C-alpha cells in the first residue's frame, strides 16, 4: 500500500526549515538556518501571508520568498513571536523555506498552541 503524504491544511502541525539566501535557488546548508514548528491556521487574524503561500504543500517542498522591502512581521503574523531570534540575524534578500514535516495533531496540541497565542495578545507580534 502506498504511503499517503499529508498536505498542509488547517490544524496540521507543520515543521519548516528557514534560511536566508542571496537569490531564488541559492540556499545552501548552513548553521544559520532555523526550524519552526506550528499549528497551521490558528492565528487570531486568520491565515498569515506565509501560511497562504505554503497551503497544500507536502514534506520536501521548497519555496523562496523575495523579502526585499517586505516587513517580515506582516509575512509571518503571529508566528513572528517564535521566529525573532532567526529574524534578527536574517541579512539576505531572499528567504528559503523547506517543508520538513506535516503531521496530524491532537486536541491537546491545538489547545496548547491557541493558549500560547492568546497569552501573548497583541503586544508580542511585530505586524
Amino acid at each position: 500500500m502506498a504511503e499517503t503524504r499529508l498536505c498542509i491544511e488547517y490544524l496540521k502541525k507543520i515543521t519548516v526549515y528557514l534560511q536566508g539566501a542571496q537569490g531564488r535557488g541559492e540556499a545552501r546548508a548552513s548553521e544559520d538556518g532555523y526550524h519552526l514548528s506550528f499549528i497551521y491556521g490558528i492565528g487570531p487574524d486568520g491565515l498569515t501571508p506565509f501560511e497562504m503561500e505554503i497551503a497544500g504543500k507536502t514534506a520536501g517542498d521548497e519555496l523562496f520568498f523575495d523579502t526585499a522591502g517586505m516587513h517580515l512581521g506582516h509575512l509571518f503574523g503571529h508566528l513572528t513571536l517564535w521566529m525573532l531570534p532567526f529574524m534578527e540575524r536574517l541579512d539576505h534578500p531572499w528567504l528559503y523555506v523547506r517543508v520538513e514535516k506535516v503531521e496530524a495533531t491532537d486536541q491537546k496540541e491545538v489547545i496548547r498552541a491557541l493558549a500560547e497565542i492568546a497569552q501573548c495578545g497583541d503586544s508580542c507580534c511585530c505586524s
Side-chain angles (χ1 to χ4, degrees), residues 38-120:
F38 61 97
I39 308 294
Y40 181 87
I42 63 170
D45 297 322
L47 292 176
T48 67
F50 175 74
E51 287 175 308
M52 287 185 228
E53 289 293 325
I54 66 171
K57 304 292 188 225
T58 60
D61 287 346
E62 300 176 318
L63 300 97
F64 283 87
F65 292 90
D66 182 355
T67 62
M70 181 183 291
H71 189 277
L72 292 178
H74 171 72
L75 178 65
F76 290 102
H78 68 283
L79 301 173
T80 303
L81 171 65
W82 295 279
M83 296 181 55
L84 287 176
F86 170 71
M87 290 171 61
E88 289 173 353
R89 67 178 195 264
L90 181 64
D91 62 354
H92 298 303
W94 286 79
L95 180 67
Y96 165 74
V97 178
R98 181 180 64 242
V99 178
E100 294 195 324
K101 291 183 199 174
V102 180
E103 304 171 280
T105 56
D106 62 30
Q107 291 178 348
K108 288 180 183 179
E109 285 181 291
V110 173
I111 291 168
R112 188 177 310 117
L114 286 168
E116 286 178 9
I117 293 169
Q119 181 180 15
C120 181

